[in-house]
Every structure is written in structure tokens, then in C-alpha cells.
Amino acid sequence: MKKQAKQIFWNALLLTAASLLIRTVSVSFQVYISNRAGAEAMGLFSLMSGVYGFALTLATSGIHLGVTRVISDAIGKKEDWKIPSAMRYATAYALGFGLLAMSLLIGFAEVIGTVWLKDLRTVRSLRLFGLTLPLIALSSAWGGYFTAVRRVYKNAAVQVWEQTVKIAFTMYLLAFMLPGGIESTCCALVLGGALAELCSFLLNLLLYFIDRRRHFPNRRGCSAPAEGKKLCGIALPIAMTTYVRSGLITLQHVLIPKGLRSSGASHAAALISYGSIHSMALPIILYPAALISSFSGLLVPTLAECAVKKETRRISYMISRVWSLSLLFSFGVAGILICFSEEFGQLLYPGTQTGHFIRILAPLIPIMYIDTATDAMMKGLGEQIFSMNVNIMDALISVILVWLLIPRYGIFGYLIAIYFSELFNTTLSIHRLLCISKTPVRLLKWVYKPLIGIVGATVLGKLLFTALPLPLCGGTVALHCLLVLMIYLALLLLLGGVEKEDLFWLRTVFQKEKKEKGL
């Protein structure tokens, strides 16, 4: 068990480093693009991205999780000979749904742009979006394979490569197309991403063939038709429920600008408000989530193997540990962003309301981050259908709230909808995971101690920030954030938020010579 825990830790460390690098570059690039293109262009791009999200859901159709679960089950049962056959079915599945999604998006781009989005400037970009769908579907299948066999460094390499190429292509295209107006700017953003997806696909394909030749050199003739049925049995139910949820989310994104216009805002002002939240504030809020999402993704195959072996005690231990670490981290992030929201807004997006929106959304960070971890663990334990049903209810409630609240309260109606839907989703997911895992609840350790610690740290940090008349710059804000983090860690140690068991667990991850002692 210690060997597996060590593997999970180092894989998580690798993915976290890659994710943080990608997120850092991505957010920095997002800031650069938003400041160059303007909030209206980013709002229009976000509006199209909602439609693209539904097409992407159709293209992937649950293939990543399906592959991860099937390959993990084969490994857990020592039936590695089934893996190449399962991947052939997965490739055919991904290619079929990818081509279907591409055909539909390109064929109906004009109808979507003129009737649904009510903006002709979106048509060309939607067609460009469609070209990427088969490539993403195949890459998703291979990504699931790398996750299941725990060679996640290949996923990390592909992500870094894709982000690098995307930035290079997009900056080059923007230099020529930005003067052409908002439509040309959106086309440049989409085309840069499309070229990056092509390069990512080629690298993924190369890495997959190399990996298959190295680990399964003589398995090309093996056939396991049951694996194809198992794959469809996992992926299709997920896909069906995901279609409904994604469709509701797309409807929600279409209704937001329409509701803002009904509240009295112009079309341009509606896009600006929408872009300020989705393209400016939310990337900052979600940036640190790279730490949670990287580790959570690795939990899926690990928990799937534990479920197959019926290791209930170990499952409960892992859930408790992940929740504890996730909440310690997320409370710290939320406190820092609340404390320095205006400073972040002024530094990154001067002259906008981004800092105001960051402060409003930051208290949701513990809910959003713990939901990410919980959702991953639910999938690992085979509860993906329940998770998707909750997500569908969440999306339906969001659509209703957006439809009712935004025309009356404007953009703050949308913020109310975000709060309610996040709380609803997370509460149901946590309750379900507690019921199936019998994990004991430790509110004092998970919630109260981190909350007290971050409140004390941010109050002291803010007092020092205001007492020292230093100029507002990136270095000053970073220094104060580091100071708040150090105070937070010190208070956690004093309050017992970090226990000896936590330190022992971290120490055993690095030990190589001692015998395995179980949990």
C-alpha cells in the first residue's frame, strides 16, 4: 500500500507542477488577451464557448472516464491482456462521436449564431470550433488510458505542449486579426486553439503508440469483445446524462446576456458584464484549483481498484484525508483572495470591476474545490450516474434561477444563481459519499480550525498591508500573500488543524526502506 501511496503522491506532484505551470501561463495569457481584446470580445467568446461546451460533451461522450474505469478494472484483476482490445474499441467510439459532433456543429453553425446567440459574428468561429472535435475526442480516450496505467507524465507533457503552442499561435494570429474587430479577434482565439489541439493530438498519438509497443508488444491479436460492451456500459450512461446537463448549461449561458438586456443593459454592456465574470474573475478564482483537480483525477483509478478489492477501510481513510487537505488549502485560497481582491483586480484588470467580482465569488472557493474532489471520488467508486443526476438537477435549477433573477436583479441575480447551485450540488454529493463510504465527519478539523486560522491570518496580514505605505505592485501583493500564508500555517499548527498523523502520512510517502504497515 505504501508503494501505491508513494506512486500516487509523485504522480500528483508531477501533475500539480504541470497544472500549476499551465494555469499560471494560461491565466497570464488570459489577462493579456482580455486587456487587448476587451471585455465585450471576451464576453462574445464566452458565449460561443457555452455552445462549444455542448458539442464537446457530445464528441467525448464519457470516453475518458469509461477508458479509465475499464483499464483500471483490467489492471486490478490482473487481466492486462484485455487492455489493447479495450483501447481499439475506445478509439472507434471516440472517432465516431467526434465526427458526429463536428458535423452537427458545422452544419448548424449559422442557425445557432443567428437564432440562438443572435449575433452573426459567432458563425465563423463556431465552424472553426467544430474542426477540433474529433481530435479532442481521440485525445480524451488516450488521456484516460495514461491516467489508468499511471503514466500521467505523458498527460502532463501533452498539456504543457498544447498550452505552449496555443499561446504562440494565438499571439501570432492576433497581431494580424485584432484590427479587424471583435469577430476577427474571436476567430483568432478559436483558430489558435484549434491549431494547438492538432499539435496536441499528434503528440498524444505518438506517445500512445510508443507506450503500447513498450508495454503490450505482443497483444495486437488478442480480442476481448466484452471490454467493448463494458466500455459502452460505463461511457454511454454518463454521456446521456452529460448531454442533458451540458444542454442546460448551454441554455443558461444563452439566457444570461438575454436576461441582462431585459434588465435594461445594452447588448454590448451585457457582453461586458458577462465577460468580466467568466473571462476575468472566474479564471482567478479557479486558478489554484489545479492542485485539487490534479490530485483528484488520480483518485479515480485508485479508488476503482479499492472498490474492486472491497477495501472499505482504506476508501474511508482516503476520503477523509482528501477532504481534510482540500479544505485546508481552499480556505487559505479563499481568505487570500477576499483579503486582496481589489489589489488583484487593479493589477490584472485595471479600470474594471473584476476585483469586486473576485471578492463576491471568493467565499465559494471551499465549496467549489471540495466539490471537485468529491466528484472525482464518486466517479472512482462507481457513483458517476448519481453525480450526473445531481449535476442535471443543479443545471436545471441554475437555468430557472437565471431566467427568473437576472431580468429583475441584473448581474447580481446571476451571482445569486451561482451561489445556490454550487451549494446544492456540493451538499448532495458530500451526503452521498458519506453514506456509501461510512466516513466519519470531522467538522472541527476540516472546517472550524482552517476557518479560524485563515480569518486570523488575513486580519493580521491586512493590518500589516495597510500599515506599511508600500506602492501597489505585483511584488508587494505577492509578499503580503506569502506573509498571510505563513501566518495561516502557523495558526493551523497551533490550533491542531495539522495533526501528527498528517505529518506522519507525508513522511511515510518519502520513506523507501521500511516495510509496508498498511494504512
Side-chain angles (χ1 to χ4, degrees):
M1 289 183 190
K2 189 183 72 174
K3 182 179 179 181
Q4 188 181 48
K6 193 178 300 180
Q7 185 181 32
I8 296 170
F9 178 83
W10 286 112
N11 282 338
L13 191 64
L14 175 62
L15 272 187
T16 298
S19 295
L20 279 177
L21 174 62
I22 292 168
R23 288 283 181 97
T24 302
V25 174
S26 178
V27 170
S28 302
F29 184 60
Q30 187 82 7
V31 171
Y32 167 79
I33 294 296
S34 299
N35 288 327
R36 272 200 85 179
E40 183 180 356
M42 298 311 297
L44 188 64
F45 182 76
S46 297
L47 191 61
M48 292 185 296
S49 297
V51 176
Y52 177 61
F54 178 76
L56 191 58
T57 299
L58 176 61
T60 53
S61 290
I63 187 61
H64 187 280
L65 181 60
V67 169
T68 301
R69 288 292 308 276
V70 169
I71 303 301
S72 296
D73 286 351
I75 293 173
K77 296 175 181 178
K78 309 297 183 184
E79 297 175 341
D80 293 9
W81 61 272
K82 293 182 178 180
I83 292 177
S85 178
M87 286 307 299
R88 286 195 290 273
Y89 287 112
T91 301
Y93 180 101
L95 184 60
F97 278 100
L99 291 173
L100 174 63
M102 180 188 73
S103 302
L104 291 175
L105 185 57
I106 292 176
F108 290 96
E110 188 169 352
V111 174
I112 294 170
T114 55
V115 178
W116 291 0
L117 304 183
K118 298 190 181 302
D119 200 317
L120 283 171
R121 296 174 295 181
T122 62
V123 175
R124 278 198 301 167
S125 295
L126 288 172
R127 286 173 176 157
L128 289 173
F129 266 136
L131 296 175
T132 65
L133 295 172
L135 307 180
I136 295 175
L138 289 167
S139 294
S140 182
W142 298 328
Y145 164 82
F146 290 132
T147 300
V149 297
R150 295 189 176 88
R151 286 185 277 278
V152 296
Y153 64 91
K154 299 189 177 183
N155 281 337
V158 171
Q159 291 172 13
V160 172
W161 167 246
E162 179 183 336
Q163 193 65 32
T164 303
V165 172
K166 180 179 179 179
I167 291 173
F169 278 132
T170 304
M171 291 184 69
Y172 178 79
L173 292 168
L174 276 176
F176 294 97
M177 301 177 73
L178 189 62
I182 291 177
E183 182 179 6
S184 296
T185 300
C186 289
C187 285
L189 295 176
V190 176
L191 187 57
L195 292 171
E197 292 292 352
L198 174 61
C199 295
S200 172
F201 165 79
L202 294 174
L203 180 58
N204 240 323
L205 178 63
L206 177 64
L207 291 176
Y208 171 69
F209 276 124
I210 292 174
D211 191 277
R212 192 183 70 175
R213 179 172 295 181
R214 178 177 299 173
H215 295 281
F216 311 104
N218 301 314
R219 303 290 188 180
R220 301 184 68 179
C222 296
S223 178
E227 297 308 294
K229 294 181 180 179
K230 184 187 294 185
L231 175 68
C232 292
I234 295 172
L236 285 177
I238 296 171
M240 295 301 176
T241 51
T242 307
Y243 297 156
V244 179
R245 179 176 182 253
S246 185
L248 289 170
I249 291 174
T250 301
L251 177 60
Q252 175 189 337
H253 285 286
V254 172
L255 287 174
I256 292 169
K258 182 180 179 181
L260 291 173
R261 291 194 298 269
S262 299
S263 69
S266 65
H267 183 64
L271 289 176
I272 289 172
S273 297
Y274 182 61
S276 295
I277 292 178
H278 276 271
S279 297
M280 297 179 179
L282 280 176
I284 304 300
I285 294 291
L286 298 175
Y287 164 67
L291 291 165
I292 302 295
S293 58
S294 299
F295 188 78
S296 299
L298 293 170
L299 292 174
V300 175
T302 304
L303 285 171
E305 289 184 31
C306 290
V308 169
K309 298 175 182 177
K310 301 186 185 303
E311 297 175 337
T312 54
R313 182 168 171 259
R314 186 159 181 261
I315 290 171
S316 177
Y317 177 85
M318 290 178 64
I319 291 171
S320 179
R321 183 67 56 206
V322 169
W323 272 344
S324 177
L325 294 177
S326 298
L327 287 170
L328 284 174
F329 174 73
S330 58
F331 274 113
V333 172
I336 288 174
L337 286 180
I338 292 171
C339 187
F340 300 107
S341 57
E342 293 300 326
E343 289 78 11
F344 280 119
Q346 292 178 36
L347 284 172
L348 299 176
Y349 304 103
T352 68
Q353 287 188 302
T354 306
H356 179 62
F357 289 132
I358 290 174
R359 174 167 291 179
I360 292 174
L361 291 170
L364 265 182
I365 286 175
I367 301 296
M368 298 168 75
Y369 287 17
I370 199 69
D371 185 50
T372 298
T374 302
D375 190 58
M377 290 188 286
M378 293 278 284
K379 291 175 181 176
L381 295 175
E383 293 289 325
Q384 60 269 11
I385 301 301
F386 178 86
S387 294
M388 288 310 306
N389 289 335
V390 171
N391 289 334
I392 288 172
M393 289 188 288
D394 169 24
L396 180 59
I397 291 172
S398 296
V399 168
I400 295 172
L401 291 176
V402 164
W403 179 56
L404 293 175
L405 297 178
I406 293 182
R408 178 173 294 184
Y409 300 108
I411 197 66
F412 289 101
Y414 179 46
L415 295 172
I416 293 171
I418 292 175
Y419 262 83
F420 187 88
S421 64
E422 289 290 342
L423 287 168
F424 173 82
N425 193 320
T426 305
T427 301
L428 289 184
S429 298
I430 289 176
H431 180 265
R432 177 65 175 176
L433 191 55
L434 285 172
C435 289
I436 64 174
S437 66
K438 303 297 188 292
T439 302
V441 178
R442 304 181 64 187
L443 284 179
L444 182 64
K445 174 179 171 57
W446 296 347
V447 178
Y448 297 135
K449 290 181 179 180
L451 183 58
I452 294 170
I454 195 58
V455 169
T458 51
V459 169
L460 291 174
K462 196 66 174 179
L463 287 174
L464 290 172
F465 188 79
T466 54
L468 298 176
L470 297 174
L472 179 64
C473 64
T476 303
V477 175
L479 180 63
H480 282 85
C481 288
L482 181 60
L483 177 62
V484 169
L485 180 61
M486 292 174 64
I487 297 173
Y488 176 53
L489 292 175
L491 289 175
L492 283 177
L493 290 172
L494 289 173
L495 294 168
V498 178
E499 300 173 343
K500 290 182 179 180
E501 182 186 0
D502 301 310
L503 300 176
F504 175 78
W505 180 75
L506 288 174
R507 189 176 70 236
T508 56
V509 169
F510 291 97
Q511 290 176 343
K512 297 182 178 180
E513 302 298 333
K514 291 184 179 180
K515 295 181 180 180
E516 294 184 6
K517 297 181 180 180
L519 295 178

